[in-house]
Amino acid sequence: MEYILVSACLLGARCRYDGAEKADHRVTALLKRENVVLIPVCPEQLGGMCTPREPSERRDGGVWNQKGEEVTSFYERGAGEALKLARLYGCRYAILKERSPSCGCGWIYDGTFTGTLIPGDGVTAGLLKAHGIRVYGESCL
């Protein structure tokens, strides 16, 4: 059995910052595969943030919301909880929401709230990678 950590929003959970439902058919299709178990996580909620919440982006090594408030501690706490779950289930892989300040892998928004992308990882993606978990975005499926 292969256990894969997955951003809960990609499975249709209304945990995105705006509370919208945004299931990704490529990810939900994995639910039909034998010997694959998806472990849904929302690092922002695990870190104590509510839904809906202000949009946030990474900047200067931290995470800031659109109101200018630093919210890094929520993201770090949520990343730690996601890592605990990945370890508990023996996840070797994670499929995370691209461009997110938590889950983004390879490209994230630049912190200006203008839609500009820069190379980088979200807080959770970075922590999982640092612990040997392979992280992919949903478009890699």
Side-chain angles (χ1 to χ4, degrees), residues 31-78:
L31 292 167
K32 297 176 185 170
R33 293 187 62 184
E34 290 185 36
N35 299 319
V36 173
V37 177
L38 302 181
I39 309 300
V41 297
C42 176
E44 290 93 337
Q45 287 183 343
L46 289 172
M49 299 187 87
C50 63
T51 300
R53 58 190 165 273
E54 287 292 317
S56 298
E57 295 185 2
R58 292 205 72 181
R59 180 180 81 225
D60 302 326
V63 183
W64 302 79
N65 69 22
Q66 201 166 24
K67 288 184 175 180
E69 301 163 329
E70 185 176 10
V71 292
T72 307
S73 63
F74 293 104
Y75 284 78
E76 290 173 342
R77 187 178 317 124

Side-chain angles (χ1 to χ4, degrees), residues 2-140:
E2 185 73 51
Y3 293 87
I4 302 172
L5 202 70
V6 177
S7 292
C9 61
L10 295 174
L11 294 172
R14 293 181 180 273
C15 55
R16 287 171 33 99
Y17 74 93
D18 59 3
E21 189 276 323
K22 293 278 187 165
D24 187 287
H25 71 280
R26 297 167 292 197
V27 178
T28 57
L30 293 174
L31 292 167
K32 297 176 185 170
R33 293 187 62 184
E34 290 185 36
N35 299 319
V36 173
V37 177
L38 302 181
I39 309 300
V41 297
C42 176
E44 290 93 337
Q45 287 183 343
L46 289 172
M49 299 187 87
C50 63
T51 300
R53 58 190 165 273
E54 287 292 317
S56 298
E57 295 185 2
R58 292 205 72 181
R59 180 180 81 225
D60 302 326
V63 183
W64 302 79
N65 69 22
Q66 201 166 24
K67 288 184 175 180
E69 301 163 329
E70 185 176 10
V71 292
T72 307
S73 63
F74 293 104
Y75 284 78
E76 290 173 342
R77 187 178 317 124
E81 293 299 315
L83 178 61
K84 284 181 192 176
L85 288 168
R87 287 179 165 167
L88 177 68
Y89 286 98
C91 298
R92 297 182 302 153
Y93 307 100
I95 301 169
L96 303 179
K97 179 66 186 126
E98 295 171 349
R99 299 179 298 278
S100 158
S102 248
C103 298
C105 176
W107 292 93
I108 54 173
Y109 292 112
D110 71 350
T112 62
F113 298 93
T114 60
T116 304
L117 293 171
I118 58 170
D121 291 327
V123 177
T124 298
L127 184 64
L128 294 175
K129 285 180 173 183
H131 286 86
I133 297 170
R134 292 184 187 164
V135 179
Y136 301 94
E138 70 270 21
S139 67
C140 292

